[in-house]
Amino acid sequence: MTNKDNILIRKAERLDVPLLLEFIRGIARYEKMENEVIASPEVLEREMFDEHRAEAVFAVVNGRKVGFALYFYNFSTFIGHSGLYLEDLFVWPEERGKGYGKALLLHLVGIAHEHHCGRMEWTCLNWNQPSIDFYLSLGAVPMKEWTIYRLDTAALERLTRKG
C-alpha cells in the first residue's frame, strides 16, 4: 500500500472481485469493446486469487476507488528477466486528469523495479490519443515494428482438435 498526495494505492483482494468486474466493464465501454467482456466473478476469483495468474491494484481517494490497474508477469528470453505486463489501466472518466492514472502506473513501475523486472510493457489502442500522449510523456517508447497476434478460445479449441 502506498499513499502519495492523498492517493492510496492498494492491492485488490478477493472481496473486490465485483468491483474489478465493474472496472473491466468500464474500460471495455471506453474502448468500445463491451460486448467482448465474458469474464465472470467466478472466473476472476479463480484466476486471480486461487491460481494467482494476475494481480490488480486500486487508486483510492477519500475512500472511493477511482481507478485500477491489472497486471501479470511475463518473461523475456532476450534479456533473461521477467517483465511486468500491464493488461489494463483505467480511471473513471469523471476522475481523469487528477494524477490517479499516473500514480497507478508509477506504483507498477515500483513493483517492476522491486521484482528486478527487465521491462514493463502494455498495449494501447491506436485511436486512444490521450493515453498515447500520457505514455509518451513518461518516456514510454512505442514498439512500431511489432504486431500483436491472437488465438481466441475458438481458435485454440480448433487447433487442439487438429492435434
Side-chain angles (χ1 to χ4, degrees):
M1 248 193 259
T2 60
N3 190 347
K4 187 174 188 270
D5 302 322
N6 289 332
I7 305 169
L8 174 73
I9 306 292
R10 81 149 176 89
K11 194 170 182 176
E13 301 170 357
R14 191 178 293 267
L15 60 91
D16 293 314
V17 166
L19 184 58
L20 283 168
L21 195 51
E22 232 180 279
F23 272 105
I24 291 166
R25 287 187 179 122
I27 193 170
R29 257 189 315 278
Y30 176 75
E31 294 179 343
K32 300 169 181 61
M33 297 192 297
E34 192 171 12
N35 61 328
E36 294 186 32
V37 177
I38 60 172
S40 68
E42 297 77 22
V43 168
L44 289 177
E45 188 170 345
R46 182 185 70 241
E47 294 289 318
M48 293 181 69
F49 299 101
D50 295 337
E51 300 292 331
H52 306 285
R53 296 182 191 263
E55 299 180 47
V57 292
F58 292 108
V60 184
V61 178
N62 298 323
R64 181 170 184 257
K65 293 170 188 80
V66 296
F68 96 121
L70 190 140
Y71 63 98
F72 56 88
Y73 296 94
N74 57 16
F75 189 83
S76 169
T77 56
F78 285 15
I79 62 174
H81 285 280
S82 62
L84 189 147
Y85 188 85
L86 171 60
E87 178 66 23
D88 285 326
L89 174 69
F90 182 71
V91 174
W92 293 121
E94 66 274 13
E95 301 293 350
R96 293 187 186 143
K98 299 176 184 177
Y100 306 148
K102 185 174 183 178
L104 284 163
L105 192 71
L106 292 178
H107 181 79
L108 295 186
V109 166
I111 290 172
H113 181 73
E114 178 184 313
H115 290 178
H116 307 286
C117 292
R119 60 185 169 208
M120 182 172 156
E121 297 177 314
W122 59 92
T123 60
C124 182
L125 291 166
N126 293 332
W127 58 258
N128 191 350
Q129 199 60 48
S131 293
I132 291 168
D133 293 343
F134 168 62
Y135 298 140
L136 291 173
S137 77
L138 297 174
V141 178
M143 305 297 292
K144 294 181 181 183
E145 64 276 9
W146 294 87
T147 300
I148 297 171
Y149 291 88
R150 176 180 293 164
L151 293 172
D152 63 13
T153 304
L156 292 171
E157 290 173 3
R158 186 183 75 253
L159 289 169
T160 302
R161 283 192 303 270
K162 285 184 176 183

